[in-house]
Amino acid sequence: MRITSLQHYHEQYQFSIQQPEQFWSRVAEEFVWNKKWDKVLEWNFEQPDVKWFINGKLNITENCLDRHLDARGDQVAYYWEPNDNDDEPRSYTYRQLYHEVCKVANVMKRKGITKGDRVCLYMPMVPELAIAVLACARIGAVHSVVFAGFSASSLAGRIQDSDCKMVLTTDGAYRGAKEIPIKKVVDEALELCPSVEHVIVLNRTGEAVHMQQGRDTWWHDEIRDVADECPAEQMDSEDLLFILYTSGSTGKPKGVVHTCGGYMVYASYTFQNVFQYREGEVYWCTADIGWITGHSYIVYGPLLCGATSVLFEGVPTFPDAGRFWQVVDKYHVNVFYTAPTAIRALEAAGVDFVKPYKLSSLRVLGSVGEPINVEAWQWYSDNIGKGQCPIVDTWWQTETGGIMISPLADITPTKPGFATLPLPGIQPILVDDKGNEIEGNGVEGNLCIKFPWPGMIRTTYGDHERCRTNYFATYKNLYFTGDGCKRDEDGYYRITGRVDDVINVSGHRIGTAEVESAINMHPDIVESAVVGFPHDIKGQGIYAYVISTKQNDDQELLRKEIIAEVNKFIGPIAKPDKIQIVSGLPKTRSGKIMRRILRKVAEGELSNLGDTSTLLDPAVVDEIVKGRL
Ligand code: 7RM
């Protein structure tokens, strides 16, 4: 159901909120179902309990692959661009992709994986990662992709949390100028993961790795003698499709659960309408498949729509800051989707890196992951879009499964910094801290969603109560996003950032509590408090206040050790930018750390620290201000 004009959008929006079941069933009818649903929707946000397309039977890979074979079997599904310019690129047609997926599916079956088993994918951006995702879906195994930058300890935690039976991985990875060990990290993680019976290792870098007898086998050996057809497992709409771990304001990362039917309908509908993808175009999303953006807008959304995509292994700045634009030129990319942090980094590198390349194929530019500042928006529009391309600033979350608030390319008039309007089916509401609705325009509040949509989170794996308390208990009968938001005079939405203890560093969600517990693993650290602060390139940086037992020792050494600790327990993405060693933290009489004050100091807003009279020891604030980094 493609939206074709602004008026059409408004009509569809009205229809979608007045008759949501009719609206979504019309969208869902465009797919291949083995059995149609009996009922479109059952829901309550108290439990929460949300079901879409009840008793419908399907397999998402039949919709991503089999369905396209007649019409576009020979069309390219993925162009793969390797990290190194002079390495051999590859491409996969829909037919080739289909057979590769079937082969890996058969390998997993032969190893005893059956419907409902969890399989962990810990791989860099090689085509085999997309293939592995789809192979899991083919046989009804639940994939849990872990971004290959996470540490052994993070990986182990995720494997344990969902009792994965199998891990698919690579020997190593190329990332910019670096060669990073992957299998070594898996080996370390698996010492703590007795549930894993099999590990399949793809040869990517050729580095020497340890292969554990009876557990580890090579990918190329496994697929050699296996059939290239594999019947699709029949799945119920509400059977699990995948788990993806994401950070919250408290505790360990939680496994967000998405299910087959609703997720399929939502990923496809949003891809088609936001980007207005047209037959024959080349689409490129620069995210990693390890994040939700990669799941929905590299793997599922584009394939469901029969698109041709670029899959990129590398980073924006290798071999230099022109790499993105070189790749756009090389593949004649029409639709380009990236993150504000990349745009800011490339802006800082200067337009000389843009100039050598022909960007005239570009028709639509997208942004995702964090608020895009007006300056970066303008630079993107002027220098990459040459003033000719609409920018779709897409707001959404791991939990929402797909884009929620965004312009529709070339349909919705854009405004720098604004995600603009909700997609059909999405009912945003702003509430104050007590949960009262803030009506009208020109207002600001906490962003919630008041009605279910097909792509929404169903539970957090193994802990439904956590799903309830995190998202559905703050405000009665509302899904709470954790984001602050403005609605301007035109009814346009502008996301202002997290209002909880989550920091967004280069578009990556990092829980302050997670970083604190990693820091606290250092034997000399008594206590720590972590907050975000504005960072020119990353959006937010990480500021850590720490109390050490060894106040007067070598501070630089301590900082290095703390960073090593964070690397070990989380990974390099959570590295604190600033570490201030303090003798105390501002606490209330009941012992709660006053983060508001710490945030203000980190932001450099020293003139207005607010009320400090309720502090146990107001003197610590003076010391913290004096020692500010
Ligand atoms: C897709 C993704 C979700 C958080 C979300 C926001 C922030 C994402 C935008 C944005 C402003 C945007 N999933 N966020 N997109 N903020 N404008 N267009 O990023 O689960 O990893 O992060 O990211 O705070 O709550 S995520």
Side-chain angles (χ1 to χ4, degrees), residues 7-23:
Q7 192 197 337
H8 189 202
Y9 160 75
H10 287 298
E11 287 163 12
Q12 289 287 297
Y13 189 79
Q14 284 313 315
F15 174 48
S16 78
I17 62 169
Q18 279 154 12
Q19 296 178 287
E21 301 195 22
Q22 283 88 333
F23 172 80

Side-chain angles (χ1 to χ4, degrees), residues 119 121 133-134 136-137 141-145 241-244 295 300:
V119 173
L121 311 180
V133 164
L134 294 161
C136 289
V142 178
H143 55 78
S144 167
V145 183
L241 175 62
F242 68 85
I243 303 167
L244 186 58
H295 282 60
Y300 290 113

